[in-house]
Amino acid sequence: MEVIIQPNPSDCAAAGARIIGKLLEAKANAVLGLATGSTPLPLYGELVRMNRAGEVDFSGVTSFNLDEYIGLPGDHPCSYRYFMEQELFKDINIEPGRTHVPDGLADDVGEHCRAYEQAILDCGGIDLQILGLGSDGHIGFNEPGSSLGSRTRIKTLTGETREDNARFFDSIEEVPRHCITMGVATIMECRQIVLFAFGEAKAEIIATAIEGPVSAMVPASALQMHPEVKILLDEAAASRLKQKDYYKEVFAGKPSWQCF
Ligand code: F6R
């Protein structure tokens, strides 16, 4: 697990975009795992800029999003399909048919989830997964208590997550109670993972997830078991890490071949 602390979210986004750029240079048909919410917005902004500047090409890329609310159609302004169209897909040269977001209106949710897992396998697996972090320790919508062996499935959102996400809706009553999410084990199978967290509000849960014990009660802590994880934090989100100075020293002393 590599913890990278940058002065602000834009520097984290630029570093994350360079990691993606490097992957796409080496593998033009890479499979990207994508997230929604506030955290990836600076990253998506930077990817759009790089794509327009001809610095990165998405024409061969396939994408899979982590999650979607059950009950929202893809054209609902609060659905994650809509979010991805607005914040990234419409502004980059990705093939629309190769972008995947779970279907919040699937008739048979169990079958849809199995097909989603199969589609990931059929594309050769996810090369790089982008993650944000919920204030309760969730990744995707794997809420505390989610099995570390879980696959794509229906989950019930916690009250804390519904409150956190109420800012995107007119009222908390409108926030769906159920979602479809990739499982913790689905995420752990991605070849490379980059998790972003920004702001003081994420500092405590970042410290728990990175430096606390691995536990299903903090699903993000499972990332400690993954061999290729980068955690990109601004100073505020890193503020409660015990090993903060050590992480900075490691990053400053990286050999050039490891830099991005
Ligand atoms: C979104 C997702 C969630 C968010 C998390 C943080 O697709 O999977 O895990 O990353 O809830 O949300 P923000 O970034 O809004 O703080």
Side-chain angles (χ1 to χ4, degrees), residues 35-40 66-67 80 131-134 138-141 165 167-168 202:
T36 59
S38 306
T39 307
L66 284 164
D67 40 25
Y80 285 169
L131 295 177
L133 176 66
H138 70 226
I139 46 174
F141 271 142
N165 290 1
R167 68 190 191 279
F168 298 110
K202 298 282 171 80

Side-chain angles (χ1 to χ4, degrees), residues 11 20 53 57 72 80 89 98 105 108 120 167 184 188 202 214 243:
D11 292 318
I20 293 175
D57 176 15
L72 298 191
Y80 285 169
F89 298 155
R98 280 206 287 262
L105 295 185
D108 183 338
I120 294 172
R167 68 190 191 279
V184 178
M188 292 292 282
K202 298 282 171 80
V214 174
Q243 300 253 76

Side-chain angles (χ1 to χ4, degrees), residues 7 24 40 62 92 112 116 128 139 149 171 176 179 212 216 222 230 253-254:
L24 296 186
T62 297
I92 61 172
H112 180 64
Y116 203 73
L128 187 152
I139 46 174
S171 71
C179 65
K230 289 184 174 60
K254 260 167 107 70

Side-chain angles (χ1 to χ4, degrees), residues 220-251:
S221 66
L223 300 176
Q224 294 178 31
M225 308 286 288
H226 192 288
E228 284 292 335
V229 177
K230 289 184 174 60
I231 310 280
L232 279 158
L233 306 174
D234 66 357
E235 285 283 352
S239 59
R240 311 257 171 102
L241 288 167
K242 288 197 188 74
Q243 300 253 76
K244 185 176 161 185
D245 292 341
Y246 175 65
Y247 304 135
K248 287 187 172 181
E249 188 189 326
V250 171
F251 188 66

Side-chain angles (χ1 to χ4, degrees), residues 1 7 29 44 66 70 89 96 100 118 147 155 167 217 221:
M1 185 175 263
N29 64 346
Y44 295 160
L66 284 164
I70 287 188
F89 298 155
H100 302 84
Q118 191 58 49
S147 162
K155 279 297 287 182
R167 68 190 191 279
M217 288 309 289
S221 66

Side-chain angles (χ1 to χ4, degrees), residues 6-18:
Q6 297 286 297
N8 55 57
S10 336
D11 292 318
C12 293
R18 283 197 301 275

